[in-house]
Amino acid sequence: MNNQYSSMRSNVNMLGTLLGDAIKRATGNETFDLVEKIRQLSKSAQQGNKQAHNELLKLIENLNNQDLLHVARAFNQFLNLVNTAAEYYGISPHGEASSSPKKMTELFKSLKSLNFAPQTIKQAIDNLSIELVLTAHPTEINRRTMINTYTAINSCLSQLDHNDLADYEKERIMRRLKQLVCQAWYTDEIRKKRPTPLDEAKWGFSVIEDSLWEGVPLFLREFNDQLVDAFNEELSVEHVPVKFTSWMGGDRDGNPNVTAKVTARVMLQARLKAIELFLADIQILVRELSMTECSQSVIDLLDEQNKAASEPYRAVMKQLRSRLTKTHSYIVALLNNEQVLAPNDLLIKNEQLWTPLYTCYESLIENGMSTIAHGPLLDTLRRIKSFGLQLVRLDIRQDSSVHTEALDALTKELNLGSYAAWSEEEKQQFLLTELQSNRPLLPYNWQPDEMVQEVLDTCRVIKKAGEESIASYVISMAKAPSDILAVYLLLKIVDCQKNIPVVPLFETLEDLNNAKSVMQKLLDIPWYREKINGKQMVMIGYSDSAKDAGTLAASWAQYRSQEELVNLFEQYNINLVLFHGRGGSIGRGGAPAHAALLSQPPGSLKGGLRVTEQGEMIRFKLGLPEVALSSLMLYASAILQANLLPPPEPKQVWRDIMDEMSDYSCQCYRSYIREKAEFVDYFRAVTPETELGRLPLGSRPQKRRTGGGIESLRAIPWIFAWTQNRLMVPSWLGAGSALRLVINEGKKEQLRDMYHNWPFFNARLGMLEMVYAKAAPNIHEYYEQRLVSPTLWPLGEELRNLLTNDINTVLTITDDISLMADLPWIAESVALRNTYIEPLNLLQAELLSRSRQNTDDDENTIVEQGLMITISGIAAGMRNSG
Ligand code: PGA
């Protein structure tokens, strides 16, 4: 055991014992003994004991359904406790997260030693912008109830981590821990109902309320302190380089449950939550700002009857409190569909909140009370800049084909022909003519079908939304200039005067390769250039491109398209923000934040960072204030580093090798996924893909359309399914074969050069190693034997052999004897979980087999429940599930 992690291991043992006690009390010694036996056998099996492995398999096959359920619950809960201990370890003084601020310190040190001009550094900090987009992607497997319990456990671990606790204090904390572990055991860990988009949005609000509201000011204080220490520079109060946007209730791509009505309601609920949070802030300021000396500007803020107030700051706060309260009542009335008149002093714009508070802030400083100004008042000011009265801005997202259908219905209604059938040139011509025409286009009294109506209603919601409520309109599966112009026209049709950014999302290999040409065509249109007014956002889709072409080819296409776009926009002197649509897991473009940012092409972060954060990753990266502080420090330091000390431009020879490997890996990947006739049947049998659809994870259906093969399946269930059976095919298939190809051509030394000197390639191999470390071919083989017809076994064997060869190939390039030799923390955390995931995998294969054969309804309910718990437990163990 690595001593560095002993504190985490002892917490894991302590929580495990508490769980064991809870199980004993709830179900009796027999169940507990069974769980313990399985745990011991799994441990020996992990250490290579074949006999223990066989005994374990036999034991599981012979268990009755009820026992399978108990054991699945025990291991699932245990893995969640391991995660909690690991999360606490991360933020504890010994952990990884606590070292994030050091990354900034180190960066500032190197900038100083490289004699960077203060002006250059200041410029980089002024330009720093981090926008995290919380999406509604259905990958968070844990219920909020369970998440809250684990958060409370985390807080107990933190309280226990003090050497000077009195015995009675320790006993109190242990008693609480016992209760919490017990609460978890008696709670149903699987959601019974699918969340609605509004539930999802509220979940997002709770992340802001419970973590970010505190975490953002914490981050800004830490960042400011480091700036002062290193350069004697203060972060200006107005400059809050971190913002949040949400897709929860705004992303309607493939989700018919997100309607225009829902979007409007979500925005209203967000405003309500923001008012509540600011009310709590102002209440603190009412209590604390009892100072008497102030500048005239503060007196000027006061209503006539308050001008002579002896405590002027407090009087300003009370005025604000009253406005917030009235605004609150008004929004509640709107949510209740009551007909009410808006009060005169309704708070709508952020500056209405900012101005009085900032005036007080300045006055406190002018009157020698800067210590007080820099207290809670400063935090509230920064929250106004970061969250504002809208709490979080919404992105609207829809698939390009839906817009095409809407315009098609319109042109047919107007007897102009079929828009969908026109060539790209014809479409553009029509769109540009209409965009520049003053004539209304919408037929009088038109009653289009429901889908078209929804598109128009959504545009109307955007039209009516508050200035700062909508961040952008993202077009999934964007392919051609007309896809972007179409959205502008739809917005114009409803007379929307807002110029919101319309953002193409390029997300297949072909579309990434064409991204530059599509954007160039748009930029060559004078109307378009004028419309975007010097700013453009383009979204890069990581997961669908990986699903389309395999991870290696997709990541190279993402790299190249970003590079091309950066150069293109530089030529046109237009500000480009690249928006990264990354999933949490490696197969969907996930990667540790710092490494991911530093491996991007030079110049790609100049416009700032906009990136998606999804599902369980929101919890892992932003779920607690200290964790959010650490993640934001990581992001900030990586962006500054990438902009001030950009990664090297790849050598031509490296590019050539990447081109060659990309083509070959894509061919290899597609030769299995698309071309092997038996692949789809094999996939459906050997993974829990079908069963996953029954897990009520999110409001969105798991397929783009009913029927169809892999192409109709969304990227999330595709990756999720392969993660469950531990072969993780999409995350590695093709990459190793391509590496072998170039090694066989005698280019191994060049690959090593790339690995050591090119962050992009280094990160790629690092991600492959991480996937390999989580894969378990022997477990996959067991799934195959239990679930797949023997005629298909050769395909599985071929894939497993490929995986073994691939691992060896990567190790010969990195020159390591084991995987992730340079990432000890992740290696430790994978090893720690493996003993507990393996039994869950075996249980899952068994339950899948029973569920697929069973006809008895009562028994099926138990089997189904057990199955869902194994899915949840494996996801918890593998951390980034979808
Ligand atoms: P999407 O996202 O299916 O919503 O495009 C895919 C992903 O995040 O993996």
Side-chain angles (χ1 to χ4, degrees):
M1 165 169 65
N2 184 337
N3 273 337
Q4 192 190 345
Y5 305 118
S6 58
S7 64
M8 178 176 72
R9 288 199 171 243
S10 67
N11 274 341
V12 168
N13 288 340
M14 184 229 326
L15 294 173
T17 309
L18 292 180
L19 177 63
D21 291 346
I23 297 175
K24 260 190 248 167
R25 272 196 306 276
T27 56
N29 280 346
E30 241 172 75
T31 308
F32 174 77
D33 293 343
L34 179 62
V35 171
E36 220 13 56
K37 182 156 187 203
I38 291 180
R39 195 172 72 87
Q40 291 302 344
L41 285 173
S42 166
K43 223 173 179 173
S44 317
Q46 287 280 311
Q47 287 154 0
N49 182 340
K50 262 238 137 320
Q51 201 191 331
H53 181 70
N54 292 337
E55 209 181 311
L56 181 59
L57 294 186
K58 234 209 213 100
L59 179 63
I60 288 181
E61 277 170 33
N62 289 325
L63 288 181
N64 65 36
N65 290 338
Q66 191 61 53
D67 281 342
L68 280 180
L69 176 62
H70 283 320
V71 177
R73 291 198 66 218
F75 280 90
N76 171 32
Q77 297 227 354
F78 186 74
L79 276 165
N80 277 297
L81 292 175
V82 172
N83 281 349
T84 308
E87 261 149 35
Y88 171 65
Y89 176 79
I91 53 172
S92 72
H94 344 272
E96 284 281 289
S98 64
S99 69
S100 300
K102 288 192 203 120
K103 287 238 167 16
M104 187 73 84
T105 322
E106 284 157 19
L107 171 68
F108 286 168
K109 243 193 222 148
S110 26
L111 294 176
K112 275 174 115 173
S113 68
L114 291 167
N115 285 329
F116 263 79
Q119 195 45 37
T120 316
I121 295 169
K122 186 168 178 332
Q123 188 70 47
I125 288 165
D126 288 348
N127 291 342
L128 180 67
S129 147
I130 307 168
E131 186 173 356
L132 302 181
V133 181
L134 313 179
T135 76
H137 285 66
T139 62
E140 171 59 90
I141 204 129
N142 277 309
R143 293 177 58 196
R144 224 160 97 189
T145 309
M146 298 302 269
I147 293 174
N148 290 340
T149 308
Y150 297 132
T151 306
I153 292 178
N154 188 315
S155 143
C156 289
L157 295 180
S158 148
Q159 292 168 40
L160 276 179
D161 204 0
H162 292 279
N163 292 331
D164 52 356
L165 284 180
D167 284 351
Y168 77 90
E169 286 173 309
K170 204 164 164 194
E171 271 165 31
R172 178 181 53 77
I173 304 166
M174 286 306 295
R175 210 169 28 246
R176 179 70 184 140
L177 265 179
K178 210 165 156 177
Q179 285 161 6
L180 291 165
V181 171
C182 218
Q183 276 176 21
W185 180 258
Y186 280 100
T187 302
D188 200 341
E189 48 281 88
I190 301 296
R191 286 186 196 105
K192 287 279 175 274
K193 276 199 331 231
R194 236 168 235 293
T196 64
L198 192 60
D199 295 333
E200 289 170 336
K202 286 187 179 167
W203 184 81
F205 303 160
S206 75
V207 175
I208 296 179
E209 178 173 12
D210 299 340
S211 170
L212 300 175
W213 197 255
E214 212 45 58
V216 168
L218 269 181
F219 154 68
L220 292 164
R221 281 179 188 280
E222 174 68 32
F223 188 30
N224 184 63
D225 289 352
Q226 294 225 14
L227 270 176
V228 173
D229 285 352
F231 306 110
N232 207 13
E233 272 286 337
E234 292 264 358
L235 194 62
S236 90
V237 182
E238 287 93 339
H239 183 38
V240 173
V242 50
K243 293 217 162 30
F244 298 90
T245 297
S246 168
W247 279 16
M248 304 176 197
D251 175 15
R252 58 241 310 120
D253 168 12
N255 191 348
N257 301 311
V258 180
T259 58
K261 275 203 184 100
V262 166
T263 300
R265 192 161 181 93
V266 164
M267 284 192 285
L268 216 47
Q269 287 281 3
R271 276 175 65 195
L272 189 72
K273 178 53 76 186
I275 298 284
E276 283 168 12
L277 292 172
F278 279 116
L279 256 174
D281 270 27
I282 298 296
Q283 190 54 41
I284 292 174
L285 297 175
V286 169
R287 219 171 35 229
E288 294 194 359
L289 295 187
S290 48
M291 301 77 232
T292 51
E293 280 171 49
C294 75
S295 310
Q296 181 58 37
S297 51
V298 172
I299 311 276
D300 293 344
L301 292 171
L302 293 171
D303 298 339
E304 255 344 286
Q305 70 270 25
N306 290 326
K307 289 272 185 230
S310 58
E311 294 174 333
Y313 300 100
R314 190 171 257 173
V316 172
M317 296 307 139
K318 284 185 178 167
Q319 276 180 202
L320 266 182
R321 184 174 64 187
S322 140
R323 283 189 83 174
L324 282 162
T325 311
K326 283 189 210 159
T327 308
H328 188 271
S329 312
Y330 176 66
I331 299 176
V332 169
L334 292 184
L335 283 166
N336 291 335
N337 296 324
E338 290 164 22
Q339 298 292 333
V340 278
L341 283 179
N344 295 340
D345 50 356
L346 187 70
L347 280 169
I348 299 176
K349 295 196 167 180
N350 289 327
E351 57 187 64
Q352 295 170 315
L353 197 52
W354 171 268
T355 306
L357 291 176
Y358 191 67
T359 308
C360 290
Y361 171 84
E362 281 187 311
S363 161
L364 284 167
I365 293 182
E366 279 160 21
N367 288 280
M369 294 176 275
S370 61
T371 315
I372 299 171
H374 289 125
L377 177 57
L378 176 60
D379 290 348
T380 302
L381 284 166
R382 288 178 161 159
R383 288 177 183 131
I384 299 171
K385 289 286 176 197
S386 188
F387 307 103
L389 283 167
Q390 65 283 354
L391 188 70
V392 63
R393 299 184 306 163
L394 267 197
D395 270 356
I396 303 294
R397 183 173 75 142
Q398 183 55 287
D399 192 293
S400 59
S401 61
V402 174
H403 305 133
T404 305
E405 271 184 61
L407 288 175
D408 193 61
L410 180 68
T411 54
K412 283 181 178 153
E413 178 72 18
L414 294 169
N415 289 325
L416 296 174
S418 162
Y419 173 85
W422 293 343
S423 69
E424 174 61 20
E425 281 65 36
E426 287 167 325
K427 284 183 184 145
Q428 283 183 35
Q429 202 182 6
F430 164 75
L431 293 165
L432 282 168
T433 311
E434 293 305 330
L435 278 164
Q436 293 170 84
S437 152
N438 282 333
R439 168 174 51 78
L441 195 60
L442 215 49
Y444 181 65
N445 246 346
W446 185 34
Q447 289 189 329
D449 72 21
E450 202 182 328
M451 195 274 293
V452 177
Q453 190 62 51
E454 255 310 314
V455 172
L456 296 174
D457 287 349
T458 301
C459 292
R460 290 192 178 102
V461 168
I462 298 172
K463 173 183 169 179
K464 278 213 219 136
E467 262 325 301
E468 294 162 272
S469 299
I470 306 272
S472 77
Y473 194 125
V474 178
I475 310 158
S476 317
M477 292 289 165
K479 296 183 180 308
S482 61
D483 290 330
I484 294 108
L485 298 174
V487 172
Y488 280 113
L489 184 61
L490 288 163
L491 289 167
K492 177 173 185 261
I493 286 175
V494 302
D495 191 28
C496 174
Q497 303 292 329
K498 257 184 223 109
N499 198 4
I500 61 163
V502 175
V503 182
L505 162 52
F506 297 109
E507 53 181 335
T508 64
L509 186 65
E510 200 187 338
D511 296 339
L512 283 168
N513 289 337
N514 288 337
K516 175 192 164 198
S517 127
V518 170
M519 294 316 297
Q520 177 143 26
K521 284 187 189 127
L522 284 167
L523 293 180
D524 284 337
I525 302 171
W527 176 89
Y528 188 80
R529 278 203 310 281
E530 197 185 323
K531 185 79 185 166
I532 60 173
N533 195 18
K535 282 186 286 211
Q536 172 77 54
M537 197 191 298
V538 175
M539 183 165 181
I540 305 289
Y542 286 68
S543 28
D544 275 276
S545 55
K547 176 168 172 265
D548 180 36
T551 49
L552 189 70
S555 60
W556 183 229
Q558 291 146 17
Y559 187 98
R560 278 200 341 234
S561 68
Q562 289 183 53
E563 212 175 29
E564 289 174 352
L565 289 165
V566 167
N567 292 335
L568 175 73
F569 281 85
E570 244 160 41
Q571 275 167 34
Y572 283 80
N573 200 15
I574 289 173
N575 209 327
L576 170 72
V577 177
L578 286 166
F579 176 13
H580 305 270
R582 312 182 87 113
S585 59
I586 293 163
R588 291 169 47 234
H594 209 255
L597 293 179
L598 293 177
S599 65
Q600 283 188 196
S604 58
L605 287 161
K606 262 190 338 203
L609 170 73
R610 195 181 209 250
V611 65
T612 51
E613 297 289 7
Q614 333 195 327
E616 72 286 3
M617 298 313 290
I618 296 180
R619 178 161 51 96
F620 296 160
K621 290 189 186 169
L622 306 168
L624 293 171
E626 301 77 2
V627 177
L629 156 73
S630 152
S631 302
L632 293 171
M633 283 307 274
L634 268 188
Y635 275 130
S637 61
I639 299 169
L640 289 174
Q641 183 170 341
N643 284 336
L644 290 165
L645 304 167
E649 291 275 359
K651 300 178 193 163
Q652 188 54 45
V653 48
W654 297 352
R655 290 178 181 278
D656 296 342
I657 290 181
M658 277 313 298
D659 284 343
E660 184 184 357
M661 289 201 300
S662 166
D663 286 348
Y664 190 75
S665 69
C666 178
Q667 266 174 42
C668 168
Y669 174 85
R670 287 181 178 168
S671 72
Y672 282 92
I673 311 294
R674 293 191 183 174
E675 285 151 31
K676 276 223 187 295
E678 69 274 33
F679 190 84
V680 175
D681 287 343
Y682 181 76
F683 165 64
R684 299 236 153 101
V686 82
T687 71
E689 183 250 337
T690 321
E691 291 77 8
L692 269 173
R694 302 203 289 267
L695 199 61
L697 280 188
S699 69
R700 181 174 90 170
Q702 76 169 2
K703 288 192 158 210
R704 287 185 188 269
R705 52 186 175 280
T706 46
I710 308 287
E711 74 299 338
S712 65
L713 193 65
R714 297 206 78 118
I716 290 171
W718 166 240
I719 299 291
F720 205 127
W722 281 113
T723 308
Q724 290 280 314
N725 76 11
R726 310 287 298 279
L727 200 59
M728 310 176 86
V729 168
S731 308
W732 56 264
L733 185 61
S737 307
L739 290 166
R740 268 192 302 284
L741 171 83
V742 294
I743 290 177
N744 290 340
E745 288 170 353
K747 297 176 187 158
K748 188 167 177 178
E749 283 317 309
Q750 277 155 357
L751 288 176
R752 286 196 172 142
D753 185 23
M754 289 159 74
Y755 174 66
H756 291 293
N757 298 309
W758 188 18
F760 165 77
F761 192 66
N762 183 288
R764 283 286 13 114
L765 292 200
M767 294 308 100
L768 277 175
E769 286 200 39
M770 212 180 282
V771 169
Y772 296 154
K774 288 186 176 184
N778 58 331
I779 290 182
H780 175 260
E781 191 175 357
Y782 182 67
Y783 275 70
E784 188 173 274
Q785 286 161 0
R786 297 289 289 139
L787 304 166
V788 181
S789 133
T791 52
L792 297 175
W793 290 4
L795 175 55
E797 196 177 343
E798 214 177 306
L799 289 168
R800 288 191 296 276
N801 288 340
L802 255 183
L803 174 63
T804 313
N805 288 343
D806 288 6
I807 295 177
N808 292 332
T809 304
V810 167
L811 288 176
T812 61
I813 301 169
T814 58
D815 260 343
D816 287 327
I817 38 170
S818 64
L819 293 169
M820 295 196 304
D822 56 342
L823 290 170
W825 157 246
I826 299 182
E828 170 77 12
S829 123
V830 171
L832 183 65
R833 290 173 173 87
N834 267 345
T835 320
Y836 305 98
I837 309 178
E838 177 151 342
L840 277 170
N841 277 122
L842 304 178
L843 290 166
Q844 180 173 90
E846 182 60 33
L847 286 159
L848 279 170
S849 154
R850 291 189 195 181
S851 136
R852 290 174 188 179
Q853 285 161 17
N854 223 338
T855 44
D856 176 332
D857 274 359
D858 286 345
E859 284 302 304
N860 239 348
T861 312
I862 303 176
V863 170
E864 185 79 3
Q865 199 188 344
L867 192 50
M868 296 304 140
I869 288 166
T870 61
I871 294 176
S872 160
I874 296 167
M878 302 294 278
R879 298 275 292 176
N880 29 20
S881 41

